């Protein structure tokens, strides 16, 4: 494959009969119309443990995002998260509410808060801890169906409440790092597991600012972190959550 087509053609005509030369030309013509190979193929997204074991998703209605006042800063940038998921999936299903929302009762939510704190959006809920060195961990409450949070039965199967415990002391204090961790953890709520297998190592792609894939928990090298969904990640979200 290192040789150019012109060199291959010249060598083919050197000692071949006319029929063999024609066959060589046909083969070269077929090769010429093949699309150029991508530098790195998009990986096949794994399933989150919640989705793989229990089939838990945000469902066709999607989810709202809310954040504790302790995390309300320009770095969280939930409106940018909303815009990215809408752009990449083609559906407005990950939303920032315009006013108060009844998370876990009438709507599903992904709620962000600092680890080991009493939430300001529901005083009866205390956020779980995050494993040392990790940036964040996502938990889910489906009321009496499933619950691994410290909340008392807030969610249900059609309005699940995903609670993201965050460890700000481990997260680099910049917009890119917070965009990575917020989008990554929402990816878990939307059925995606950690990136693994061929094509899941950190890589760049023409036209994309930063690294791929989003679900690589590295995160990928700076100055830009991996905060973009790949095509396959977006397609898996749409398919698994029934966004049609």
């Amino acid at each position: 494959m290192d040789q150019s087509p012109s060199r291959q053609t010249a060598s083919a005509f050197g000692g071949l009969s006319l029929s063999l030369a024609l066959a060589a030309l046909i083969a070269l013509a077929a090769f010429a119309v093949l699309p150029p190979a991508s530098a790195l193929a998009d990986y096949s997204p794994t399933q989150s443990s919640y989705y793989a074991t229990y089939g838990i998703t945000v469902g066709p209605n999607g989810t709202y995002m809310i954040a504790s006042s302790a995390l309300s800063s320009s770095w969280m940038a939930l409106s940018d998260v909303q815009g990215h998921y809408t752009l990449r999936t083609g559906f407005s299903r990950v939303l920032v509410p315009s006013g108060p929302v009844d998370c876990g009762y009438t709507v599903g939510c992904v709620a962000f808060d600092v680890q080991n704190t009493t939430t300001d959006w529901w005083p009866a809920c205390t956020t779980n801890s995050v494993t040392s060195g990790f940036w964040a961990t996502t938990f889910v409450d489906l009321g009496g169906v499933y619950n691994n949070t410290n909340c008392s039965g807030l969610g249900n199967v059609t309005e699940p409440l995903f609670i993201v415990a965050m460890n700000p002391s481990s997260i680099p204090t910049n917009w890119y790092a917070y965009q990575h961790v917020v989008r990554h953890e929402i990816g878990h709520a939307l059925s995606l597991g950690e990136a693994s297998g061929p094509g899941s190592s950190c890589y760049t792609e023409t036209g994309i600012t930063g690294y791929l894939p989003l679900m690589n928990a590295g995160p990928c090298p700076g100055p830009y972190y991996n905060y973009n969904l790949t095509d396959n990640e977006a397609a898996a979200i749409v398919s698994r959550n029934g966004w049609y």
Side-chain angles (χ1 to χ4, degrees), residues 5 8-9 22-34:
Q8 291 178 340
T9 303
L22 287 173
L25 282 173
I26 292 170
L28 284 171
F31 176 81
V33 299
L34 291 175

Side-chain angles (χ1 to χ4, degrees), residues 2-148:
D2 290 336
Q3 287 183 302
S4 68
S6 61
R7 288 184 179 178
Q8 291 178 340
T9 303
S11 63
F13 276 108
L16 292 176
S17 66
L18 180 60
S19 60
L20 290 177
L22 287 173
L25 282 173
I26 292 170
L28 284 171
F31 176 81
V33 299
L34 291 175
S38 176
L40 282 173
D42 199 349
Y43 81 111
S44 297
T46 61
Q47 301 174 356
S48 71
S49 59
Y50 296 136
Y51 181 78
T53 306
Y54 305 101
I56 299 172
T57 69
V58 302
N61 294 326
T63 188
Y64 283 105
M65 299 176 289
I66 61 174
S68 164
S69 58
L71 292 170
S72 296
S73 70
S74 59
W75 291 334
M76 288 293 290
L78 295 184
S79 60
D80 281 305
V81 175
Q82 173 180 303
H84 180 71
Y85 272 94
T86 298
L87 176 66
R88 297 296 292 126
T89 66
F91 293 88
S92 298
R93 297 289 192 275
V94 179
L95 304 171
V96 178
S98 58
V101 288
D102 200 6
C103 292
Y105 288 104
T106 60
V107 296
C109 290
V110 178
F112 296 87
D113 207 341
V114 179
Q115 66 173 345
N116 298 322
T117 59
T118 300
T119 64
D120 53 8
W121 46 269
W122 188 254
C125 180
T126 302
T127 311
N128 283 323
S129 61
V130 178
T131 302
S132 178
F134 282 59
W135 289 12
T137 306
T138 297
F139 304 91
V140 65
D141 191 342
L142 301 182
V145 178
Y146 182 88
N147 182 6
N148 68 349

Side-chain angles (χ1 to χ4, degrees), residues 38 40-45 88 198-200 203 205 213 229-234:
S38 176
L40 282 173
D42 199 349
Y43 81 111
S44 297
R88 297 296 292 126
S200 64
Y203 64 96
E205 189 171 289
L229 287 165
T230 70
D231 290 341
N232 286 359
E233 287 172 338

